[in-house]
Amino acid sequence: MKRLRNILLSVVLMLTGLAFAGTSADAAPSLPCDVYGSAGTPCVGAHSTVRALFAAYNGPLYQVRRADGATTDIGLLSPGGIANGAAQDSFCANTSCFISEIYDQSPRHNDLTIEGAGGAGAADVGAPADALPISIGGHTAYGVEITSGMGYRDNSTSGVAVNGQPEGMYMVASATHVNGGCCFDYGNAETNNQDTGDGHMDAVYLGLRCEFGNCNGSGPWVAADLENGLFQSNTGTNAGDPGPGATPYVTAMLSNNGQDHFTLKRGDAQTGDLATTYSGSEPTVRNTYSPLHQEGAIVLGTGGDNSNADIGSFFEGVMTAGVPTDAADSAVQSSIVSAGYGGSNGVPGGTLTPGSSISLRATTACCTTRYLRHFAGDAVTSVITADSSTSDKNDATWIVRRGLANNSCLSFESKNYPGDYLRHSNYQLHRQPDDGSALLTNDATFCPGSGNSGSYTSFQSNNYPGYYIRHYDSTVYIAHNGGSNPWDATASWAEDTTWEVAQPWS
C-alpha cells in the first residue's frame, strides 16, 4: 500500500508542478512547497502533522499507533488543507496513542520513523499523539510534542544535500516549550546516528543552548547545528540577536550553500515578516566547516548522534534542494502566517465544549474580579480587567480539551503556551507540558459538575476524588473540604471551589 501511495503521490505532484509552471507569478500557489518549487528549489522533505505543504497534496500526514498495537493514518480534511484531527480523536478515544511515523509529502517520500539508538542516546520513543492540540485554519489539529527521549529520523533518504551541496530548511516550532538540552533540531544529519565530525550536519535548531557563551539574553535562539556546535553566527554567538522571546509559534530558517556561507532567519508564525539574524561565512571557530560534509539523513527532535535531552514543539518543516531566494522565503513566511496558527478553531468561546477558549472567574465575594491564570509556571488568581496587559489576558485564557486521562472529563491547555496544561502536583496547580506520562495525564484531568456553592461550576480532580480546584490566598490548589492542609479549610470552601466559565480574555 505504501508503494502505491508513493507512486500516486509522485504522479499527482509531478502533474501539479507542470500545471504550476504554466501559471503567472501573480497566480503562483501559496503553500510552502509550491512556492519553493516555483522558485527552482523544490522540497525534498515536507513534514507536518497539522497541514498540507503542497496545494495538491491529499495523502496521509502521519500515522498513530494505539495502545493495543493498531495503527491508522491521519489525513486531511480536504486537498491542500488542515489535518483531520477528529479522525485521531475517534481512533484514540479513551486510550493512548503515539505518533509512529511522519510522512514526507514531497515526491521523495523521506518518511520519518521513531529514531533508533545512537552515539549519545538510547532508542527513542514516539511523541504522545494528543499532547499538542492547536487551532489552525479554523480547525483543531495536533503538533508533535517532543520531550527528552523522543525523536524521529530517516537515514535512507532521496534528494537531500550531501557533501557540500546547497540546501535550505525551516521549521515552525514553539519558543515556549524549550530547554538547554541537546538538541531540538530539524534537518540534515549523519546516516549512522553517530557524531562523525564537524560539518557532517546542517540542521536548524531552536532552544536555550548557548554553546559559545555571551549569548544575548536568556533565549531561546535560532541556530545552525553543524555538528559539534550550535552556531548563531560564524563565531558561534550572535550578540545582536536576543531570540524570539516566548512566542507560541516561531518560524526558524536555515540555508547553507554548503561551501562558505549560511543564513539564519526567524519570524513570528502568526504575523509579520522574517528577520535575518545572520548571513555570512561558515564557522571560523575551526577550519573544519568549509566545505560541509552533510550525509543526507533527516532528523527531527534530536542531535545527529541522537542526543535527546531536549524538548520542543514541532508543527511543520521543509527541506529544499538548493538555497531558496529571499523572495521565496518571504512568500513562505506569508503562507505560514496565512495558515492561521493559534487562531479560531470554529468553536464558540466561553463554554466547556472541547476546543472552546475560556477564562475562569472566581465567585467568592471577595474575589469576583480575579481569574485563574498562570504566572512563572504556577496557577494563581489575579485581577484581570479590560485594561490589563495583553500578556496578563493571555495568561488567563485556557483552551478546553478532552480529558487527557478520561475523555468524559476535561483538561485545560494554556492559550499562549501550546502543549502546556493545568495540572496538580503536591496539591498545588501548575502549568506544565504534557510529557506523555500517566501521572501527568491524570493530574491534568478534571471533571466538571454543578458548583459546590449552588451555582456555576466546580472541577473535581480525576485522580483525587473529592478534591476540587480551589483558590486560596491567591494560589490555586486541589482541596478537600475539611482536609489536613491549610487550603482544605472549611471556611469559604464551597465558594472558593466554584468558578464561572467566562468568555476568554484573549
Side-chain angles (χ1 to χ4, degrees), residues 3-386:
R3 179 182 296 273
L4 177 60
R5 176 183 75 86
N6 291 348
I7 293 170
L8 290 175
L9 288 175
S10 295
V11 171
V12 168
L13 292 171
M14 178 183 70
L15 293 176
T16 302
L18 292 174
F20 291 155
T23 62
S24 69
D26 290 339
S30 60
L31 295 190
C33 287
D34 304 317
V35 172
Y36 282 139
S38 295
T41 49
C43 290
V44 295
H47 304 98
S48 177
T49 58
V50 302
R51 70 167 183 147
L53 300 172
F54 290 87
Y57 189 76
N58 195 30
L61 297 180
Y62 62 104
Q63 180 190 85
V64 293
R65 183 178 295 273
R66 208 162 52 193
D68 63 4
T71 63
T72 195
D73 288 344
I74 305 301
L76 296 159
L77 293 170
S78 61
I82 303 301
N84 186 353
Q88 176 180 304
D89 292 341
S90 176
F91 182 76
C92 301
N94 294 309
T95 188
S96 61
C97 286
F98 63 88
I99 297 172
S100 47
E101 188 165 4
I102 303 171
Y103 296 119
D104 178 13
Q105 300 175 34
S106 87
R108 298 290 184 169
H109 314 302
N110 293 319
D111 302 333
L112 302 179
T113 55
I114 297 170
E115 187 167 356
D124 294 322
V125 297
D130 63 350
L132 188 54
I134 65 164
S135 300
I136 179 171
H139 301 280
T140 297
Y142 293 91
V144 184
E145 183 89 327
I146 296 290
T147 59
S148 297
M150 298 176 184
Y152 297 84
R153 197 180 191 112
D154 184 0
N155 283 338
S156 300
T157 62
S158 169
V160 180
V162 295
N163 295 322
Q165 292 176 327
E167 64 182 339
M169 67 205 70
Y170 80 82
M171 67 175 169
V172 176
S174 178
T176 65
H177 182 226
V178 291
N179 70 359
C182 182
C183 291
F184 184 64
D185 291 341
Y186 173 73
N188 197 321
E190 293 93 341
T191 57
N192 62 358
N193 295 26
Q194 303 292 321
D195 178 350
T196 55
D198 295 357
H200 284 249
M201 287 187 68
D202 186 28
V204 64
Y205 164 85
L206 178 66
L208 301 176
R209 198 170 180 87
C210 176
E211 294 195 333
F212 295 91
N214 298 314
C215 293
N216 185 331
S218 57
W221 303 279
V222 175
D225 189 342
L226 305 181
E227 193 55 281
N228 300 318
L230 295 173
F231 294 92
Q232 301 174 29
S233 71
N234 60 343
T235 61
T237 300
N238 184 352
D241 179 29
T247 305
Y249 303 97
V250 174
T251 306
M253 280 189 178
L254 165 66
S255 62
N256 201 317
N257 71 4
Q259 298 297 310
D260 56 14
H261 191 278
F262 75 101
T263 298
L264 291 167
K265 301 177 183 179
R266 60 172 170 81
D268 187 329
Q270 294 179 294
T271 185
D273 299 323
L274 295 167
T276 299
T277 59
Y278 175 76
S279 185
S281 74
E282 302 286 6
T284 55
V285 296
R286 293 183 293 276
N287 64 359
T288 45
Y289 292 98
S290 182
L292 295 182
H293 308 282
Q294 313 104 301
E295 298 185 25
I298 300 177
V299 70
L300 167 60
T302 74
D305 58 357
N306 193 25
S307 297
N308 56 10
D310 56 288
I311 62 175
S313 301
F314 177 87
F315 306 105
E316 66 179 77
V318 154
M319 297 181 67
T320 66
V323 173
T325 64
D326 288 338
D329 283 345
S330 294
V332 165
Q333 169 67 359
S334 295
S335 169
I336 292 168
V337 170
S338 69
Y341 277 99
S344 171
N345 60 5
V347 181
T351 76
L352 291 179
T353 303
S356 180
S357 293
I358 64 170
S359 291
L360 292 174
R361 184 181 68 85
T363 63
T364 314
C366 65
C367 309
T368 56
T369 59
R370 302 183 75 87
Y371 289 78
L372 193 159
R373 55 87 60 90
H374 63 83
F375 180 79
D378 294 330
V380 299
T381 62
S382 294
V383 174
I384 306 291
T385 70

